[in-house]
Amino acid sequence: MNSRVFSRRRALQGMSVACAAAFAPRPLSAAGARDPRVVVIILRGALDGLAAVAPVGDPDYAPLHGALALAPTGERAGLPLDGFFALHPAMPAFARLYREKRGAVVHAVATSYRERSHFDGQDVLESGFPGPGRTESGWLNRAVAVLPSSGGSARRGLGVGVTAPLVMRGPAPVLGWAPQGLPSAGDSLAMRTLDLYRHRDPALAAALESGLDTERVATQGGMSDDARKNKGGMDQPGGMRQASAGAARLLAAPEGPRVAALAFDGWDTHQNEGGVTGQLATRLSGLDGAFEELEKGLGEGWKDTIVLAITEFGRTARINGTNGTDHGTGTVALLAGGAVAGGRVIANWPGLKANQLYQGRDLAPTMDLRAVLKGMLADQFGLSAQALAEKVFPESASIAPMKGLTQA
């Protein structure tokens, strides 16, 4: 490998400015005066949907989920949703959004993937193809690529993290940003470095200038030194909040991106999953905090926003011998935002009796996740069923977009 190329790449990674350039002009709103935004949160590791949104009204649920099961009342009570389902108590912000009809749940949903490999499941979830190993681009990036342009300018997605999630990689230009892990350099040092690069390497100077601009927007509003400090990885509540707060600032900027992707880790709960407290509760509190930070940071833009949290597959309905759950199939998708037609759990409930479980052990999926994703993109950006089937989710013509996910 050429040493100069190597050093440039390392420098760019260190600044968290993958594929970055200057902010693009605001993308065209496809819905008149609205200025729609979409944020996709990937939950890597396979979320236990039966714990996150518990079917407490199903008499077969508690015997299967044992000590991990939520209850309608008592010490293990969930937050009531509709009388049949209850939300995990670690998610009070999402519960409030649900009551305000700005939060919704899609239950017993899954991608087309029916095996139990995280790697392949995540590939299918993020690529949007019916099987793994079909492409290196993601469905969200391809959706950005087919959006109508604004004045001929480039459209822009946002990938949060040191490496952009697969769902946001592809032909459309992507802005990269990640919370700083090290103390920020002072303005004077940054300007001297920028001046040096301008004389020695204009391409690297342009990348640095864009990265500085991105960091300025993501941390605008007079963040204190403590607020700038790294709050943990993307599997910790503080890290999830911090990443979401920065993403919200970038999405709220007048000329910032309108589509973003984040990936949170740590949902693979084979052991000691926990009930109302424990490791799953900790992760769910982080996701709840992410919804809250996006709502707060987007400000006026929240009313036209949909945030969607999805995972590669679910977990077994019956707990295992180590108080955890293993790789399963059906799970939940969570939607929040001012644009969501919420206050409801969307489900064609399959039941949890032995003969109703998928392969005798998983929540059986009754809805294809691609219908939800297509419906969200159609409602927010006006993408046609043909574009969604041919460009964004190839080989999915038989999967119709779900209607009515957004406010009329």
Side-chain angles (χ1 to χ4, degrees):
M1 177 183 293
N2 183 292
S3 60
R4 185 166 179 270
V5 172
F6 175 77
S7 62
R8 283 161 56 91
R9 183 177 302 163
R10 291 290 299 271
L12 291 170
Q13 288 174 339
M15 291 182 288
S16 299
V17 291
C19 304
F23 275 94
R26 178 186 305 182
L28 178 68
S29 166
R34 294 179 66 238
D35 188 7
R37 295 166 175 81
V38 165
V39 181
V40 174
I41 300 176
I42 305 292
L43 307 178
R44 289 184 176 150
L47 168 67
D48 183 354
L50 292 173
V53 182
V56 294
D58 189 320
D60 297 302
Y61 165 65
L64 283 172
H65 237 48
L68 307 185
L70 301 182
T73 59
E75 293 181 352
R76 296 191 296 178
L79 303 173
L81 293 178
D82 64 356
F84 185 86
F85 294 102
L87 183 68
H88 196 284
M91 305 192 70
F94 187 85
R96 172 182 56 77
L97 291 168
Y98 184 94
R99 292 193 300 272
E100 295 172 353
K101 301 190 184 305
R102 296 295 182 267
V105 178
V106 182
H107 218 317
V109 66
T111 70
S112 57
Y113 183 69
R114 291 293 178 272
E115 304 300 326
R116 299 172 191 274
S117 161
H118 289 300
F119 182 83
D120 287 344
Q122 289 168 11
D123 184 281
V124 172
L125 174 71
E126 298 190 50
S127 73
F129 274 69
R134 307 281 288 275
T135 181
E136 294 183 354
S137 66
W139 59 264
L140 192 57
N141 184 286
R142 297 195 299 273
V144 173
V146 299
L147 285 176
S149 63
S150 176
S153 62
R155 285 76 54 117
R156 181 67 50 83
L158 170 65
V160 178
V162 175
T163 302
L166 171 61
V167 71
M168 188 44 94
R169 298 180 211 160
V174 173
L175 180 71
W177 175 79
Q180 291 286 340
L182 297 172
S184 299
D187 289 344
S188 177
L189 175 59
M191 290 304 103
R192 291 200 304 274
T193 304
L194 181 59
D195 184 62
L196 175 64
Y197 286 165
R198 281 171 174 158
H199 287 84
R200 298 288 184 88
D201 193 330
L204 189 57
L208 174 58
E209 188 168 19
S210 175
L212 293 170
D213 198 28
T214 301
E215 180 68 10
R216 175 183 56 76
V217 175
T219 59
Q220 66 186 351
M223 292 180 70
S224 65
D225 289 342
D226 180 66
R228 288 174 181 270
K229 289 180 181 176
N230 188 291
K231 303 300 183 185
M234 299 288 257
D235 61 346
Q236 297 299 316
M240 297 180 198
R241 275 187 175 272
Q242 188 176 35
S244 301
R249 291 187 180 90
L250 291 164
L251 289 162
E255 296 184 350
R258 291 296 182 266
V259 181
L262 303 85
F264 296 160
D265 302 315
W267 305 89
D268 196 14
T269 50
H270 287 284
Q271 299 178 347
N272 301 318
E273 179 174 307
V276 296
T277 60
Q279 62 164 317
L280 180 60
T282 299
R283 302 292 182 281
L284 289 173
S285 73
L287 176 61
D288 199 56
F291 287 131
E292 194 171 42
E293 293 293 341
L294 286 163
E295 178 187 20
K296 182 169 60 178
L298 274 161
E300 181 65 18
W302 178 252
K303 66 179 175 54
D304 293 328
T305 297
I306 285 184
V307 183
L308 174 65
I310 52 177
T311 189
E312 67 262 32
F313 45 68
R315 309 196 71 81
T316 49
R318 184 176 290 105
I319 64 174
N320 60 29
T322 56
N323 290 319
T325 51
D326 299 319
H327 299 173
T329 307
T331 186
V332 295
L334 305 176
L335 297 95
V340 173
R344 57 194 175 131
V345 178
I346 304 167
N348 179 15
W349 190 243
L352 294 173
K353 296 186 183 303
N355 63 354
Q356 295 171 323
L357 298 175
Y358 179 74
Q359 294 186 340
R361 58 179 181 170
D362 304 338
L363 174 65
T366 57
M367 280 184 282
D368 192 308
L369 182 61
R370 289 172 293 180
V372 181
L373 307 178
K374 285 183 171 184
M376 175 185 69
L377 294 172
D379 284 357
Q380 285 293 82
F381 298 124
L383 295 186
S384 68
Q386 182 179 7
L388 289 166
E390 295 179 358
K391 303 292 185 182
V392 183
F393 299 99
E395 304 174 39
S396 70
S398 63
I399 310 297
M402 183 177 287
K403 296 184 181 300
L405 290 174
T406 60
Q407 300 278 341

